[in-house]
Amino acid sequence: MLDRVREAVSKFTSKKKIDKKDLEELIKEIQRALILGDVNVKVVFEISEEIKKKMFEEKPENISLRDYAIKSIYEVLTKYLGKGDKTLELKKQKILLVGLYGTGKTTTAAKLGNYFKKRGLSVCLVCADVHRAGAYHQLKQLAEKIGVGFYGQEKEKNVTIILKKALQECKEDVIIIDSAGRDNVNEDLLKEIREIYETVHPDEILLVISGDIGSIAKDVVEKFKEILPITGIIITKIDTSAKAGGALVSSYLTNAPILFIGTGEKIEEFERFDPKRFVSRLLGMGDLEALLEKVKELEEEQKTIKEMIEKGEYNMYVFYEQLKATQKMGSFQKIIEMIPGMNMLGMKKEELEEQEIKVRKWKYIFDSMTKEERLHPEIINSSRIARIARGSGTKEEEVREMLKAYKMSEKLFKGIKSGKLLKDPRMKKILKMMPQDKIQGIM
Ligand SMILES: Nc1nc2c(ncn2[C@@H]2O[C@H](COP(=O)(O)OP(=O)(O)O)[C@@H](O)[C@H]2O)c(=O)[nH]1
Ligand SMILES: [Mg+2]
């Protein structure tokens, strides 16, 4: 599943030009990948609808389809692929590991022990698996390997006796109790786990789930939650299970946070679950942070412009929006031709065509300005003009010309605002043609 999402995104981002069809194809690929990852079909539908809504209804004008698509996918997947907002505190505590048979509990006990040891806490691993032959030696060996304490009684079959003793004997900061698993959640397992719980009163009860059970993970979490106050999930075998997606989503569905993921058999192949990091890797985008940052900036910018227009402020941003609006309406020429006597600038046809080329250059000039310059164009002096010209590949003269046009436009704007110009019927006609959302603030 993981590879498939990565491939689809990489195919999408490498395209030169992106249109709605590409977006739809990308969403379909993600749907396929999630279904292969054993994510519940209803959830897959929810995920894709949410991505679609963002891409098609919420995209701000100034952000590219490509960037916004990646951002939307990232945000939605981060939400559904596991809650990751909880971390284990580095303090004295008792942790109980529970889960079905063969999910990786014993391995995880050692991995978790190693995690605390590396962070400066002393650790004791306690064997409370009295059913599986070899469970005692498996945990003992692991404890020796990572160099932490161990407690167990090889011959004792009464788990309560072992645990009472363990609590007296173990003086370490973190006590990790490895319990026995079963093939399913049955009466025997419930009774024993309750007994352990009553004896130990653990600070954390972590449910260990193997990634390969896929969407069944939801039922497992729910069943365990009925009998114990589960405080977090650890999902193992993320490296080998094709169905990890379904297991991850179970966290979203049951509202139980994923604390760690197991990514291999070795002790170090264990990491804190961070949905953001996980999804970044899933999307295969190393520079995702940079992209998200850029999109966020553009979103804020768009919001600021809207506010400025609403408040009736005037600056380069508003001017730029006007330029874009006029381009959308068609050429200057057409607008001016439609309104007799509106040739305010006194231009001929050829000149008007030239004006259109100019506007295109003005966009480059605008792009080369800093935020500060756009907000306060009055600070643009000759050295700034030289820099902007260089950056936009235009002549200094052209930058000056744009600034002049800006000033004229500002004057006009202020005239409209004060209401003088509005009384002119010709002006009313023009304003009617402008996109209404753009001029709301000035009307
Ligand atoms: N690939 C992989 N194997 C794992 C992981 N965690 C555990 N295992 C393997 O799963 C098997 C069962 O693990 P064990 O800890 O004995 O499970 P338990 O029965 O729940 O205690 C062992 O072969 C482990 O090496 C993991 O994150 N990735
Ligand atoms: Mg075990």
Side-chain angles (χ1 to χ4, degrees):
M1 171 196 123
L2 310 184
D3 290 346
R4 211 172 161 130
V5 174
R6 196 171 303 139
E7 265 166 41
V9 169
S10 139
K11 195 172 140 207
F12 173 79
T13 49
S14 62
K15 277 191 179 140
K16 279 219 173 70
K17 217 172 161 324
I18 282 165
D19 56 29
K20 214 177 156 183
K21 234 181 80 216
D22 298 314
L23 290 177
E24 273 159 4
E25 200 183 304
L26 175 65
I27 294 174
K28 276 216 184 91
E29 258 314 303
I30 289 175
Q31 281 178 331
R32 273 185 218 120
L34 292 172
I35 286 175
L36 280 175
D38 200 37
V39 176
N40 172 295
V41 178
K42 216 178 112 224
V43 178
V44 173
F45 181 73
E46 251 176 62
I47 293 177
S48 47
E49 282 306 301
E50 212 167 308
I51 295 176
K52 269 188 213 160
K53 187 162 175 274
K54 274 188 193 278
M55 282 187 196
F56 298 135
E57 291 171 28
E58 295 168 8
K59 189 186 95 57
E61 223 187 289
N62 58 343
I63 300 172
S64 77
L65 265 181
R66 189 194 315 260
D67 290 354
Y68 204 70
I70 298 296
K71 181 192 179 246
S72 308
I73 293 168
Y74 168 83
E75 281 179 355
V76 176
L77 289 184
T78 304
K79 174 174 150 195
Y80 283 90
L81 287 185
K83 274 167 64 76
D85 45 8
K86 176 176 163 164
T87 26
L88 287 187
E89 278 178 65
L90 298 176
K91 60 164 196 195
K92 208 170 153 63
Q93 59 190 311
K94 291 172 285 185
I95 300 171
L96 172 63
L97 297 183
V98 297
L100 298 178
Y101 179 75
T103 53
K105 286 181 303 301
T106 305
T107 313
T108 301
K111 286 176 170 180
L112 194 58
N114 190 50
Y115 170 87
F116 281 112
K117 189 196 169 199
K118 285 225 163 107
R119 283 158 184 79
L121 291 154
S122 58
V123 176
C124 185
L125 304 184
V126 175
C127 176
D129 182 352
V130 291
H131 301 287
R132 225 193 83 201
Y136 172 91
H137 288 286
Q138 188 193 0
L139 191 65
K140 190 164 184 263
Q141 272 170 16
L142 284 168
E144 277 162 15
K145 193 172 158 195
I146 58 171
V148 299
F150 169 77
Y151 185 85
Q153 292 183 30
E154 202 182 351
K155 302 280 179 315
E156 181 56 66
K157 290 291 167 203
N158 185 326
V159 78
T160 311
I161 294 178
I162 298 178
L163 289 172
K164 278 192 174 147
K165 194 90 173 111
L167 293 180
Q168 287 168 10
E169 298 278 316
C170 302
K171 302 285 178 246
E172 286 87 350
D173 301 323
V174 182
I175 296 172
I176 300 172
I177 299 153
D178 179 27
S179 69
R182 292 289 196 283
D183 286 332
N184 55 49
V185 188
N186 55 26
E187 272 308 311
D188 282 352
L189 175 67
L190 300 192
K191 196 170 156 271
E192 188 187 277
I193 283 179
R194 279 226 195 87
E195 227 176 278
I196 296 177
Y197 176 71
E198 295 299 331
T199 314
V200 179
H201 288 291
D203 301 279
E204 300 284 347
I205 305 173
L206 307 182
L207 175 61
V208 182
I209 295 177
S210 166
D212 50 27
I213 65 168
S215 58
I216 297 171
K218 176 175 172 272
D219 302 332
V220 175
V221 179
E222 278 170 353
K223 277 198 180 133
F224 271 94
K225 270 186 135 181
E226 276 171 25
I227 49 168
L228 286 173
I230 300 292
T231 59
I233 305 179
I234 297 179
I235 297 186
T236 61
K237 307 184 196 181
I238 293 278
D239 53 317
T240 53
S241 43
K243 294 177 172 181
L248 290 166
V249 169
S250 70
S251 157
Y252 168 78
L253 295 174
T254 59
N255 217 14
I258 300 174
L259 294 176
F260 295 92
I261 49 176
T263 55
E265 296 199 9
K266 296 202 196 89
I267 298 288
E268 316 77 54
E269 285 169 328
F270 183 69
E271 57 184 75
R272 251 200 36 69
F273 180 69
D274 174 357
K276 285 185 181 158
R277 207 169 128 219
F278 187 80
V279 174
S280 300
R281 271 190 299 181
L282 182 70
L283 299 183
M285 310 239 347
D287 54 354
L288 195 63
E289 276 304 314
L291 181 140
L292 294 172
E293 195 54 37
K294 188 176 108 193
V295 172
K296 199 172 131 220
E297 247 170 48
L298 288 171
E299 273 176 330
E300 271 165 18
E301 195 173 287
Q302 188 79 358
K303 219 177 103 211
T304 325
I305 295 168
K306 233 182 121 208
E307 279 167 13
M308 285 186 302
I309 294 178
E310 269 157 20
K311 271 195 248 154
E313 281 172 26
Y314 201 79
N315 54 43
M316 274 287 170
Y317 283 110
V318 185
F319 179 60
Y320 185 68
E321 287 299 309
Q322 285 179 320
L323 287 184
K324 279 202 295 198
T326 49
Q327 277 203 329
K328 255 194 211 152
M329 283 189 289
S331 67
F332 277 142
Q333 199 170 324
K334 270 194 233 124
I335 300 169
I336 290 171
E337 271 170 10
M338 277 187 288
I339 307 159
M342 250 330 280
N343 196 344
M344 295 196 312
L345 303 167
M347 285 189 289
K348 295 194 194 78
K349 261 194 175 185
E350 308 79 62
E351 285 171 334
L352 283 168
E353 271 163 21
E354 242 173 67
Q355 183 66 21
E356 276 188 62
I357 298 168
K358 247 182 233 165
V359 167
R360 234 168 288 146
K361 280 195 182 172
W362 287 358
K363 284 191 172 177
Y364 298 136
I365 294 172
F366 178 84
D367 286 337
S368 289
M369 287 181 180
T370 64
K371 196 172 167 187
E372 181 84 48
E373 287 163 351
R374 291 172 189 163
L375 286 172
H376 309 284
E378 63 279 2
I379 65 166
I380 304 177
N381 54 20
S382 48
S383 73
R384 282 178 189 261
I385 287 175
R387 193 208 76 238
I388 294 168
R390 244 180 291 124
S392 58
T394 57
K395 297 193 190 97
E396 286 182 30
E397 202 183 292
E398 286 166 328
V399 179
R400 282 181 212 282
E401 197 174 4
M402 179 201 182
L403 291 171
K404 215 163 117 193
Y406 164 76
K407 277 198 191 108
M408 269 175 66
S409 180
E410 187 188 21
K411 236 184 229 161
L412 187 67
F413 179 90
K414 286 189 174 147
I416 294 170
K417 217 178 140 192
S418 67
K420 265 185 233 153
L421 259 170
L422 272 184
K423 293 193 182 84
D424 188 324
R426 287 170 304 181
M427 198 62 215
K428 276 187 185 158
K429 232 178 192 167
I430 292 184
L431 285 173
K432 264 204 195 117
M433 291 170 55
M434 298 265 286
Q436 292 305 304
D437 57 321
K438 290 278 177 329
I439 52 166
Q440 246 165 27
I442 51 181
M443 290 291 282

